Amino acid sequence: MVAPREAGYPSGVMQCPFCSVDETRVIDSRPVDSGTAIRRRRVCESCGLRFTTYERADVPLIVRKRDGHREPFDLDKVRVGLEHALADRPVDDKKRDRMVSAVRTAAEASGRVVSSDDIGRAVLEQLAAVDEVAYLRFASVYKEFEGTGDFERELAELQRRGDT
Ligand SMILES: [Zn+2]
């Protein structure tokens, strides 16, 4: 009987993605992304090829709301928010999907916990570059739900950007 893949392997052993032997060796290891991940350079003892692995905690991105409440990041909410803002605007689905991805990337860049304000700003950032009507729609919703001076600041920023 074959033992489960992980059983009996010293921690850190990883199969070579090129030739599938189990003898790969870590030749460099360093923290990246502000210490939230570890990057390892590995070399295969059999075929000699080198590759990189990343180790990071497998925890969901958490959104901190303005009232301090926390909830898991939900990409669908971003998508729905963008869909509403972009309704009847000349922006195709592909472009919208790229914006959703960009918002996720921006949210993930702030670490394990991101504020709802930062997500709203990331959405506004995307819309500002694409469609002014959609931007204002989203900004007004954002203002209603979050009630903040951030909206005025963002609008001023959009106008400043438009002037340059
Ligand atoms: Zn190999």
Side-chain angles (χ1 to χ4, degrees), residues 19-97:
C19 72
S20 298
V21 305
D22 290 318
E23 278 113 66
T24 62
R25 193 162 50 85
V26 175
I27 50 175
D28 183 49
S29 175
R30 70 177 87 148
V32 291
D33 297 344
S34 314
T36 59
I38 297 169
R39 176 187 187 275
R40 292 195 176 89
R41 280 298 281 168
R42 295 171 184 266
V43 61
C44 174
E45 302 281 23
S46 175
C47 71
L49 286 171
R50 296 176 176 210
F51 61 102
T52 303
T53 58
Y54 291 91
E55 178 182 325
R56 57 183 91 235
D58 187 13
V59 291
L61 183 61
I62 293 165
V63 177
R64 192 183 58 246
K65 313 281 279 187
R66 211 163 251 210
D67 61 7
H69 183 77
R70 290 173 179 227
E71 62 181 34
F73 177 67
D74 185 351
L75 197 61
D76 279 340
K77 285 188 181 170
V78 172
R79 189 184 307 279
V80 167
L82 278 167
E83 272 170 3
H84 284 157
L86 289 164
D88 305 321
R89 299 303 302 161
V91 176
D92 64 28
D93 291 357
K94 249 190 202 153
K95 193 159 201 174
R96 190 200 58 220
D97 287 348

